[in-house]
């Protein structure tokens, strides 16, 4: 028997859940259908190594969610349903080949003092950037939080023009077009300060020389300095559990093991969806798909708009990521200093040239000879994730090709992930061991998640791309995913698109889901 709802949402990622929370709050009867065994998409937590050791599958940093417009409206309600954050005052650091390190804590003078040891000029620059951040953030966060409409963007830019004049507006536009290297080279003297911030670009497909990438190292540096970082207390899935509870309290449903195979389209209008087991969920008001661009066309078939279909078919994905989850007897003994044990993230990305080389190798299908390692130390912030006295490490190995064509180092002779996983993971652990001798001896259990495994678990992560599509300028702002459809609309009436593939893109801020829900229900 068919079930009829106001809205059916395909995919149970955090954008879907945020969308459902808002729609349900506006009186819509909502159903979320998730093909996997649990909702959350890339935001989930499990005991992947040993009992009692809780690992975040992919996303770990919840700062964007904590600072989002969605959380501002629903935070109190979600807290009632169990959402709880674990704040980190020592946010992120980088270690360097000469045995030194540099890190950002949310104590301004502490951070500036560390930078001053590298460059007194850069320390003063950091203080100036921090002082200017509140005014500059109004414009930048305004853009990133706006609906993807020319009028909305124009309103914010005109506001900036009125405040700072033509020169100030042009400076903002130039900054938005700059590559990380452009901005870092003209802003800082020390290569180590540049590397510290440049590593953040690699989280979002912005190698040092990619235009449009300066924004993200800047925002991460300044936001962490101003507000610190937050993780999920007990795991990132705290936000998923709270949103599911909110939806169910409002009469909605979140159904797992429910694979949608077809969007039912009649006379150019989406009417519902059909599942692999034959069940059908009909929608009175909207069918919403949180899927990768190519996957949407598989669900709908022809849409009647050739330009839209061509754009969705050719949508480019970022290089993949390998995850390594480690159960540990203790945190790494960082050669650069014990204080590094306090940081949520430690980047093993010593200079911009290495980042650029690694990215180019992965884009060419090659296993990088020196991949970038993002070493998350969540139990330094939240000890509840491991048995007493024990720890977990969350390693992102960036970048990794979704399809392997060769090995940059000429050492790994296989090209399928099932056999390349172990030797490539050993390469990553060799790098970690170099910066923190004795780490291997502390490993109690490990679980490797290859790009192929990430995609098998969640088809939105094509080739292990954790951001559901490149954020380069040709696929961002009004062009995400296709010009004219960045607001979640599609050529099919009552069919809408959400998730990281849609403006404002990836991250835990739930912007795509919340903006779409506001568009539909006010």
């Amino acid at each position: 028997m068919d079930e009829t709802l106001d809205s059916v949402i395909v995919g149970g990622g955090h954008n879907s859940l945020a969308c459902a929370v808002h729609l349900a709050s506006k009186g819509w009867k909502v159903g979320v259908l998730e093909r996997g065994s649990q909702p959350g998409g890339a935001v989930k937590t499990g005991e992947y190594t040993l009992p009692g050791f809780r690992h975040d599958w992919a996303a770990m940093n919840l700062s964007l969610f904590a600072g989002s417009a969605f959380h501002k409206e629903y935070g109190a309600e979600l807290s009632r349903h169990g959402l709880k954050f674990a704040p980190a005052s020592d946010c992120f650091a980088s270690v360097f080949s000469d045995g030194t390190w540099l890190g950002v804590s949310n104590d301004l003078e502490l951070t500036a003092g560390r930078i001053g040891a590298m460059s007194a000029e850069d320390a003063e620059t950091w203080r100036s950037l921090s002082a200017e951040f509140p005014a500059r953030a109004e414009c930048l966060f305004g853009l990133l939080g706006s609906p993807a409409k020319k009028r909305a963007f124009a309103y914010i830019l005109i506001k900036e023009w009125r405040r700072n004049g033509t020169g100030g507006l042009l400076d903002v536009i130039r900054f938005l077009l700059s590559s990380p290297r452009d901005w870092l080279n003209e802003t800082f003297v020390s290569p180590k300060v540049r590397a510290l911030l440049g590593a953040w670009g690699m989280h979002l497909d912005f190698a040092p020389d990619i235009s449009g990438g300066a924004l993200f190292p800047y925002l991460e540096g300044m936001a962490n300095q101003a507000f610190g970082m937050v993780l999920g207390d007990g795991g990132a899935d705290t936000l998923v559990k709270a949103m599911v509870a909110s939806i169910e309290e409002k009469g909605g449903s979140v159904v797992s093991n429910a694979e949608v195979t077809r969007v039912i389209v009649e006379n150019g209008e989406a009417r519902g969806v059909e599942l692999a087991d034959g069940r059908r969920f009909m929608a009175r008001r909207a069918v919403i798909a949180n899927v990768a661009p190519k996957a949407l066309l598989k669900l709908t078939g022809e849409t009647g708009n050739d330009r839209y279909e061509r754009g969705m078919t050719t949508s480019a994905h970022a290089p993949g990521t390998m995850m390594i989850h480690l159960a540990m007897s203790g945190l790494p003994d960082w050669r650069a200093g014990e204080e590094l044990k306090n940081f949520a993230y430690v980047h093993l990305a010593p200079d911009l040239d290495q980042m650029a080389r690694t990215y180019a190798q992965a884009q060419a299908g090659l296993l990088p000879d020196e991949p970038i390692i993002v070493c998350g130390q969540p139990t330094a912030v939240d000890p509840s994730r491991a048995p007493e006295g024990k720890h977990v490490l969350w390693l992102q190995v960036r970048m990794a090709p979704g399809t392997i064509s060769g090995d940059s180092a000429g050492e790994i002779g296989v090209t399928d992930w099932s056999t390349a996983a172990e030797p490539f993971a050993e390469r990553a652990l060799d790098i970690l061991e170099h910066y923190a001798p004795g780490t291997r001896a502390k490993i109690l259990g490990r679980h490797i998640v290859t790009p192929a495994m990430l995609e098998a678990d969640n088809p939105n992560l094509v080739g292990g791309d954790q951001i559901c599509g490149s954020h380069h300028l040709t696929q961002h702002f009004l062009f995400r995913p296709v010009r004219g459809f960045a607001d979640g609309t599609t050529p099919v009436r009552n069919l809408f698109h959400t998730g990281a593939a849609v403006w404002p893109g990836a991250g835990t801020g739930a912007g795509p889901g919340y903006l779409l829900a506001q568009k539909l229900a006010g």
Side-chain angles (χ1 to χ4, degrees), residues 124-149:
E124 287 309 305
T125 298
W126 188 265
R127 291 186 179 95
S128 297
L129 289 172
S130 296
E132 297 164 1
F133 179 60
R136 198 167 191 188
E138 182 181 348
C139 175
L140 297 177
F141 283 123
L143 285 171
L144 294 174
S146 288
K149 293 182 178 294

Side-chain angles (χ1 to χ4, degrees), residues 37-54:
S37 60
Q38 63 186 99
V43 184
K44 60 184 180 182
T45 308
E47 296 181 346
Y48 306 125
T49 56
L50 298 171
F53 292 84
R54 288 179 55 75

Side-chain angles (χ1 to χ4, degrees), residues 92-102 326 328 330-349 373-380 391-395 428-439 442:
F92 66 92
S94 284
V95 289
F96 305 106
S97 301
D98 63 359
T100 60
W101 68 278
L102 186 57
L326 299 176
M328 305 287 292
L331 290 171
D333 293 313
W334 297 101
R335 185 159 50 95
E338 281 289 299
E339 195 175 347
L340 283 165
K341 289 184 177 181
N342 300 325
F343 282 82
Y345 280 179
V346 180
H347 287 120
L348 282 58
I373 313 297
V374 185
C375 180
Q377 302 182 124
T379 41
H391 290 272
V392 300
L393 288 186
W394 175 95
L395 301 184
L429 292 175
D430 285 343
I431 295 171
L432 178 57
E433 187 78 13
H434 170 75
Y435 288 102
T439 298
K442 296 185 178 187

Side-chain angles (χ1 to χ4, degrees), residues 15 104 213 239 260 274 345:
N15 276 295
V104 171
L239 68 85
V260 173
E274 185 173 277
Y345 280 179

Side-chain angles (χ1 to χ4, degrees), residues 80-137:
R80 180 167 55 82
H81 287 298
L83 174 64
K84 189 175 180 183
F85 297 123
S89 57
D90 293 318
C91 307
F92 66 92
S94 284
V95 289
F96 305 106
S97 301
D98 63 359
T100 60
W101 68 278
L102 186 57
V104 171
S105 302
N106 71 337
D107 178 320
L108 176 58
E109 287 308 311
L110 182 59
T111 303
R114 293 177 186 137
I115 294 174
M118 308 285 178
S119 164
E121 182 180 341
D122 285 348
E124 287 309 305
T125 298
W126 188 265
R127 291 186 179 95
S128 297
L129 289 172
S130 296
E132 297 164 1
F133 179 60
R136 198 167 191 188

Side-chain angles (χ1 to χ4, degrees), residues 16-224:
S16 296
L17 299 176
C19 185
V21 167
H22 188 71
L23 294 178
S25 295
K26 297 298 182 181
W28 288 38
K29 187 176 181 183
V30 180
V32 179
L33 305 175
E34 167 56 43
R35 69 181 286 279
S37 60
Q38 63 186 99
V43 184
K44 60 184 180 182
T45 308
E47 296 181 346
Y48 306 125
T49 56
L50 298 171
F53 292 84
R54 288 179 55 75
H55 305 269
D56 288 337
W57 176 254
M60 185 179 96
N61 180 358
L62 301 187
S63 296
L64 285 175
F65 187 84
S68 68
F70 174 78
H71 182 257
K72 184 177 181 180
E73 181 169 355
Y74 291 104
E77 176 185 325
L78 296 177
S79 294
R80 180 167 55 82
H81 287 298
L83 174 64
K84 189 175 180 183
F85 297 123
S89 57
D90 293 318
C91 307
F92 66 92
S94 284
V95 289
F96 305 106
S97 301
D98 63 359
T100 60
W101 68 278
L102 186 57
V104 171
S105 302
N106 71 337
D107 178 320
L108 176 58
E109 287 308 311
L110 182 59
T111 303
R114 293 177 186 137
I115 294 174
M118 308 285 178
S119 164
E121 182 180 341
D122 285 348
E124 287 309 305
T125 298
W126 188 265
R127 291 186 179 95
S128 297
L129 289 172
S130 296
E132 297 164 1
F133 179 60
R136 198 167 191 188
E138 182 181 348
C139 175
L140 297 177
F141 283 123
L143 285 171
L144 294 174
S146 288
K149 293 182 178 294
K150 289 178 283 188
R151 182 178 298 177
F153 289 150
Y155 170 78
I156 292 165
L157 294 175
I158 289 171
K159 198 173 170 184
E160 180 69 15
W161 171 69
R162 286 173 176 164
R163 182 167 50 224
N164 293 314
T166 302
L169 175 60
L170 290 174
D171 286 345
V172 169
I173 294 172
R174 179 177 182 271
F175 172 68
L176 291 172
L177 296 175
S178 296
S179 72
R181 194 192 299 267
D182 289 336
W183 177 68
L184 291 166
N185 281 354
E186 69 183 33
T187 306
F188 298 104
V189 174
S190 170
K192 293 178 180 178
V193 180
R194 297 170 185 166
L196 172 72
L197 297 175
W200 279 108
M202 304 298 283
H203 285 250
L204 204 62
D205 188 36
F206 282 107
D209 302 299
I210 303 295
S211 294
L215 176 64
F216 301 100
Y218 168 78
L219 287 180
E220 285 290 350
M222 291 296 100
N224 278 273

